[in-house]
Amino acid sequence: AGMEGSGDASAAGADWRLALWTLCSVLLPVLITAWCSFQRSRRQLLIRDIFRKSKHDWHYTDLFGSPSYCCVCAQHILRGAFCSCCGLRVCEPCLKKADRRFPCKEIMMRGTAGAPSSMPHHWIRGNVPLCSCCMVCKQQCGTQPKLCDYRCVWCQYTVHDECMVDCLRTEDCTFGEFKDLIIPPYYLSAINQMRKEKRTNYEKVVPYCSKHWMPVMVLANTRSGNNMGEIFLGEFKMLLNPVQVFDLSKIAPAKALQLCTWLPCNAVRVLVCGGDGTVGWVLDAIDEMKIKGQERYIPQVAVLPLGTGNDLSNTLGWGAGYAGEVPVEQILRNVMEADGIKLDRWKVQVTNKGYYNLRKPKVFTMNNYFSVGPDALMALNFHAHREKTPSLFSSRIINKAVYFFYGTKDCLVQECKDLNKKVELELDGERIELPNLEGIIVLNIGYWGGGCRLWEGMGDEPYPLARHDDGLLEVVGVHGSFHCAQIQVKLANPVRLGQAHTVRLILKSSKMPMQVDGEPWAQGPCTVTITHKTHALMLYHSGEQTDDDDASSLSE
């Protein structure tokens, strides 16, 4: 009996030990994970606090895209923080030291007596571009696997450690290749002082008096197309004064454009990074400047196409879509070399029938085109789908695939058939007899539907080329979604209905999809009147046409 009792006790002890070890083996990883998670969240809070209080534009990355070295401890780092304005790179433990030790780019000089007309270089050590050359010995910089060599955050010149001499540290910065695009900090400081004193003789301030100075402003929509706007914000801040670069998700174009009133009249150039909708948004803000009496400060507008369709950008020679294939430096060169042209803008007034005219008519501004029919239906379905699941529409390819799906669906369903029986069309007051159609498109620009020259069609008939500055609209009809697809691949021509200064369309019955510049809605019986509104000052780049008809592109 004694033996059996001792055996049971030892067995019970073994069970308890097993249970204890099992509990430890389960709890220990959980506790370690919880502790690591707590430390990580605490570390992230500290980092966010530094980011919030800092004058640097810090961003955290888990993996640098090129070999990088901490500017404080000089150790090789894979992850850490970088400043998108001055280019500093730092490991996490050294972040606080770097934030205190190194100043960022100053957008405006402070505490200076008088009106300075120059400033010294602002040198940052290490992490220079691999393709850069020393401004002293002309040999390649950044070739050693360590923190070495210097770069000026304004002129982008680089210097070897051994070539850096005291005179370079105090030498005046020339602002490099893009000196005619950069707004110097000392200029803003001088203008700010003059505005306080209510003086307006800005022409005496350098570089206001330079006839070659054409300061550029960058307005980027970080939500356009494939979401590349966030990347460009940092790259443009690195090359220009950060005050020239605006995120349109944080500041409205009307507010950003007030910087133009600090700059020379008729000299400012604006680069809009986004789709055609973003360009329209900026042009509306420019129209507001005209209403405020600021017409002499109106800038010229260039486009970096980040949207899905980009027909306006294509018409103006900036291409049908940008995916990072051209360096930011080349984009700025293109903006400098671009020629100024005019773009017609049109007023689209939609007056609902009935309601004893108590409802105010809807008024839109059109830059590209107005349409009723299958292409408007595709845009309406696309927008409804994107509003439900916006996270799925972060790629230009996915967006075009969804458009293709809805176009294929409409080929089978034909929701817009017999449009000619539901509408009346007048061009400059003259009634047009309509053939059997499913859609009508009113064009202001040469391109439509993501890169198709709709008015010219196959180019086998002698029709006058579409222009965007002649005060004329081109009006065409389509037989359906399949006909639209044939036109886009140059297998068919549109039904050309005519050109006019004023277009009037009466929807007599039923509800039809309509769109203005890609913004769709479902519309009941109404009268649509399109009249000329104003001109916009745009910039035309001659090197990025996607259509193979060079003659038509040159005519614009």
Side-chain angles (χ1 to χ4, degrees):
M3 292 286 290
E4 289 177 1
S6 63
D8 291 340
S10 62
D15 290 341
W16 275 106
R17 283 194 298 274
L18 180 61
L20 183 63
W21 280 110
T22 303
L23 185 64
C24 289
S25 64
V26 172
L27 286 178
L28 189 60
V30 172
L31 290 172
I32 292 173
T33 303
W35 183 81
C36 291
S37 178
F38 170 75
Q39 290 295 324
R40 182 177 176 81
S41 61
R42 182 169 171 270
R43 197 166 63 248
Q44 287 176 342
L45 283 172
L46 291 172
I47 290 172
R48 278 200 295 266
D49 187 56
I50 294 172
F51 285 7
R52 183 173 54 84
K53 295 177 181 178
S54 177
K55 291 183 178 180
H56 289 275
D57 188 19
W58 292 116
H59 296 272
Y60 191 84
T61 180
D62 286 320
L63 183 64
F64 285 107
S66 59
S68 301
Y69 300 89
C70 175
C71 62
V72 177
C73 66
Q75 296 298 309
H76 180 262
I77 52 175
L78 293 176
R79 65 178 184 179
F82 66 94
C83 176
S84 62
C85 292
C86 65
L88 275 178
R89 298 187 181 188
V90 61
C91 61
E92 198 176 297
C94 297
L95 177 59
K96 199 167 185 178
K97 287 182 184 177
D99 192 60
R100 290 175 179 172
R101 184 183 301 178
F102 300 105
C104 191
K105 268 184 171 181
E106 281 193 334
I107 63 173
M108 184 185 296
M109 290 182 71
R110 303 181 187 279
T112 55
S117 58
S118 62
M119 58 183 287
H121 290 288
H122 181 164
W123 297 107
I124 294 288
R125 188 162 185 256
N127 302 307
V128 301
L130 296 177
C131 58
S132 57
C133 292
C134 176
M135 65 181 291
V136 177
C137 68
K138 310 303 180 186
Q139 298 299 310
Q140 189 174 356
C141 286
T143 54
Q144 301 180 57
K146 64 178 183 178
L147 187 75
C148 63
D149 304 337
Y150 291 85
R151 175 182 61 87
C152 175
V153 300
W154 288 105
C155 62
Q156 309 304 320
Y157 290 160
T158 53
V159 180
H160 289 121
D161 287 333
E162 55 272 21
C163 295
M164 175 61 76
V165 291
D166 290 339
C167 63
L168 282 178
R169 296 184 188 275
T170 56
E171 183 182 78
D172 286 343
C173 182
T174 63
F175 293 96
E177 179 184 359
F178 302 115
K179 62 180 181 295
D180 289 332
L181 301 182
I182 295 172
I183 303 176
Y186 56 78
Y187 172 84
L188 292 175
S189 178
I191 297 296
N192 186 48
Q193 185 61 35
M194 294 176 72
R195 288 171 76 98
K196 287 179 180 178
E197 298 170 1
K198 297 184 178 179
R199 291 188 290 145
T200 57
N201 53 334
Y202 300 164
E203 62 274 3
K204 295 181 180 179
V205 181
V206 178
Y208 193 108
C209 51
S210 171
K211 61 182 179 181
H212 299 294
W213 192 43
M214 52 175 79
V216 68
M217 294 169 58
V218 179
L219 277 60
N221 186 351
T222 55
R223 297 170 184 167
S224 282
N226 50 5
N227 296 328
M228 292 184 68
E230 190 74 40
I231 299 169
F232 290 118
L233 283 173
E235 294 192 17
F236 282 117
K237 284 179 182 178
M238 192 84 73
L239 294 172
L240 305 171
N241 189 330
V243 79
Q244 299 173 243
V245 184
F246 298 90
D247 182 353
L248 293 182
S249 66
K250 297 177 181 177
I251 184 170
K255 193 170 182 181
L257 288 169
Q258 288 306 300
L259 179 61
C260 294
T261 62
W262 289 49
L263 301 168
C265 302
N266 306 316
V268 181
R269 300 192 165 198
V270 169
L271 175 63
V272 180
C273 306
D276 288 349
T278 306
V279 178
W281 189 19
V282 173
L283 294 181
D284 287 341
I286 291 175
D287 285 346
E288 290 178 24
M289 292 178 68
K290 296 177 184 176
I291 296 170
K292 292 177 182 177
Q294 299 173 342
E295 193 154 4
R296 60 193 179 128
Y297 299 113
I298 296 300
Q300 295 175 301
V301 180
V303 186
L304 182 64
L306 303 183
T308 302
N310 304 312
D311 290 306
L312 178 57
S313 168
N314 209 0
T315 299
L316 298 174
W318 297 99
Y322 180 79
E325 66 276 8
V326 179
V328 171
E329 292 85 354
Q330 185 58 46
I331 293 170
L332 290 176
R333 292 184 197 109
N334 293 343
V335 172
M336 280 197 291
E337 296 165 2
D339 300 316
I341 59 166
K342 288 184 177 180
L343 171 73
D344 290 324
R345 303 193 78 212
W346 300 82
K347 176 184 175 184
V348 181
Q349 182 170 299
V350 182
T351 307
N352 291 305
K353 283 192 175 181
Y355 303 107
Y356 303 99
N357 293 326
L358 295 177
R359 286 190 178 182
K360 285 185 178 180
K362 291 186 245 181
V363 179
F364 305 89
T365 300
M366 183 184 85
N367 303 310
N368 299 3
Y369 36 72
F370 163 85
S371 71
V372 52
D375 67 324
L377 178 63
M378 284 186 279
L380 185 62
N381 288 330
F382 173 83
H383 277 257
H385 199 161
R386 183 164 65 176
E387 285 179 4
K388 289 179 183 177
T389 52
S391 59
L392 294 178
F393 296 85
S394 59
S395 164
R396 190 182 290 127
I397 295 174
I398 292 175
N399 294 352
K400 290 190 175 184
V402 173
Y403 266 107
F404 176 76
F405 167 76
Y406 282 119
T408 306
K409 176 185 173 185
D410 186 61
C411 287
L412 304 174
V413 180
Q414 292 185 313
E415 294 183 37
C416 302
K417 64 181 179 180
D418 297 327
L419 177 69
N420 53 297
K421 298 177 182 178
K422 301 173 185 177
V423 303
E424 293 178 5
L425 178 66
E426 294 178 6
L427 302 183
D428 288 336
E430 183 181 343
R431 174 86 177 271
I432 304 297
E433 290 297 326
L434 296 175
N436 185 22
L437 296 174
E438 285 191 30
I440 294 174
I441 303 167
V442 182
L443 297 157
N444 178 45
I445 60 175
Y447 286 90
W448 164 88
C452 166
R453 297 195 68 90
L454 184 60
W455 178 250
E456 288 84 2
M458 296 166 61
D460 58 347
E461 299 176 28
Y463 275 86
L465 299 174
R467 294 179 62 93
H468 47 262
D469 59 355
D470 58 357
L472 279 174
L473 294 166
E474 288 72 40
V475 185
V476 301
V478 292
H479 296 303
S481 295
F482 186 67
H483 186 208
C484 289
Q486 287 180 307
I487 294 169
Q488 287 188 315
V489 294
K490 294 193 174 183
L491 292 177
N493 285 319
V495 180
R496 298 179 182 89
L497 301 174
Q499 293 177 299
H501 300 279
T502 302
V503 175
R504 192 163 177 259
L505 187 143
I506 302 168
L507 179 58
K508 298 182 287 188
S509 61
S510 75
K511 187 175 271 192
M512 294 292 292
M514 294 184 179
Q515 70 154 340
V516 174
D517 291 352
E519 298 299 323
W521 74 96
Q523 178 65 48
C526 68
T527 299
V528 179
T529 307
I530 306 177
T531 54
H532 193 269
K533 179 182 178 182
T534 185
H535 283 106
L537 300 177
M538 309 299 290
L539 289 169
Y540 181 82
H541 176 53
S542 58
E544 290 293 331
Q545 295 299 106
T546 59
D547 195 87
D548 56 1
D549 190 354
D550 293 334
S552 63
S553 65
L554 287 170
S555 72
E556 295 180 346

